[in-house]
Amino acid sequence: MLMVLLQGAQHFVIDGRHFEIDAGSAESNAPIVFMLNVAKDSRLRFFNDSQTPLRKVMISAPLPWLQRLFDTKDETQTSAVRNFFAQHLAHYSFEPGQHIVQSAQRIINPPPALDGELSSLYLRAQGLDMMWQSLLTMLAEKKKHLPVPTLMGLRYCERARDFVTANLETELTIDLIAGDVGCSASTLQRHFKTHFGMTVFDFIRQKRLEAARSALAGNGIPISHAAHMAGYNNISSFTTAFRKAYGMTPKQVRV
């Protein structure tokens, strides 16, 4: 079970064990990701004793997905994950970066233009991404399970990802991002590709297209404005990239 608590406090008891998580109020919120492994049938009870309205997303990992983790031959990368899932009520929490927070917000407020199976796939994709990012964070903090170069590379990539997510409207260069992260441009590009399977610039394009799609679906902004948000000066080029990414045109998504 993975809970992303964006606002408010959550108190629950499972098998007689109390858990209390507090993300604060809207004015002083500090989002928290809380992972809990429920390895057997259990009794769960929530208490509504918070004065602050709750804003949270709670998902559970699909069993086939977990089984694939255990079936992998890479013992170095998965030993911490195996140990976590072997213990009933094992738990782990951390302060998420912007990537996880935005995924949770997209689940709470999905694009209204999506419905039926597309909506289900959209929500599932966001949830699995949050689960993967959370497990990756847990692995990174278990220093003995990751070689030091891999650990440092992962931290560089996470910082770069959060910097990009928070600064999509500014002119982003690899030198600017690397400077904020604290490594060389070549080091960042190499590790980013290894950890996330895409280049830094591919990630920037993806996030800007996502922002443009959300604005089209949620606010109905003009397509020319959406193209500018995504970093395209030409509407035709924007439409081509949009169709390739989402299988539909900006006009079809726009409310």
Side-chain angles (χ1 to χ4, degrees):
M1 182 179 75
L2 185 146
M3 180 192 300
V4 182
L5 192 60
L6 301 175
Q7 176 185 298
Q10 184 74 84
H11 174 204
F12 62 94
V13 177
I14 183 167
D15 289 353
R17 188 167 178 180
H18 287 254
F19 293 94
E20 295 188 39
I21 313 153
D22 192 349
S25 64
E27 293 75 23
S28 59
N29 68 314
I32 296 175
V33 173
F34 181 79
M35 297 169 60
L36 178 68
N37 182 47
V38 184
K40 61 182 181 180
D41 291 340
S42 303
R43 180 171 295 180
L44 173 64
R45 181 183 177 189
F46 284 95
F47 294 89
N48 296 318
D49 48 13
S50 174
Q51 300 300 313
T52 303
L54 277 177
R55 290 187 70 242
K56 71 174 184 179
V57 169
M58 193 160 71
I59 60 176
S60 59
L63 184 58
W65 189 74
L66 294 177
Q67 287 174 330
R68 283 196 295 273
L69 287 176
F70 284 91
D71 290 341
T72 182
K73 303 299 183 181
D74 190 350
E75 296 287 341
T76 302
Q77 295 295 335
T78 60
S79 56
V81 177
R82 289 171 186 269
N83 291 338
F84 183 83
F85 289 120
Q87 303 174 53
H88 180 53
L89 300 188
H91 59 279
Y92 173 74
S93 61
F94 64 95
E95 182 178 335
Q98 284 297 313
H99 187 80
I100 290 180
V101 170
Q102 290 190 357
S103 291
Q105 290 171 337
R106 283 193 286 267
I107 289 177
I108 294 173
N109 298 301
L114 298 179
D115 56 17
E117 187 60 28
L118 280 179
S119 178
S120 298
L121 286 171
Y122 177 84
L123 296 175
R124 184 179 178 85
Q126 301 298 327
L128 286 175
D129 187 52
M130 289 194 307
M131 186 71 68
W132 178 75
Q133 295 292 341
S134 297
L135 290 173
L136 199 61
T137 300
M138 183 175 72
L139 280 171
E141 291 197 4
K142 307 290 184 181
K143 294 185 179 181
K144 61 182 178 180
H145 295 290
L146 285 174
V148 172
T150 302
L151 176 65
M152 289 305 298
L154 178 57
R155 287 176 175 168
Y156 289 147
C157 293
E158 289 178 335
R159 291 172 189 163
R161 184 191 60 204
D162 287 342
F163 180 80
V164 168
T165 302
N167 293 277
L168 287 175
E169 296 181 0
T170 64
E171 184 177 348
L172 294 169
T173 66
I174 190 65
D175 289 331
L176 175 66
I177 300 169
D180 181 84
V181 167
C183 68
S184 69
S186 59
T187 295
L188 176 59
Q189 292 183 91
R190 183 175 70 257
H191 286 298
F192 202 94
K193 177 72 172 179
T194 298
H195 286 294
F196 297 136
M198 65 178 72
T199 67
V200 175
F201 288 112
D202 284 341
F203 179 74
I204 293 172
R205 275 192 224 99
Q206 180 190 81
K207 299 304 291 184
R208 284 177 171 163
L209 275 174
E210 286 179 6
R213 182 188 61 180
S214 295
L216 284 166
N219 304 322
I221 65 171
I223 293 176
S224 58
H225 187 186
H228 179 73
M229 285 182 64
Y232 290 86
N233 295 321
N234 185 286
I235 293 179
S236 177
S237 298
F238 169 64
T239 299
T240 299
F242 195 96
R243 193 203 307 260
K244 183 177 180 181
Y246 303 118
M248 59 184 71
T249 67
K251 185 177 180 180
Q252 291 173 307
V253 171
R254 185 169 180 261
V255 295

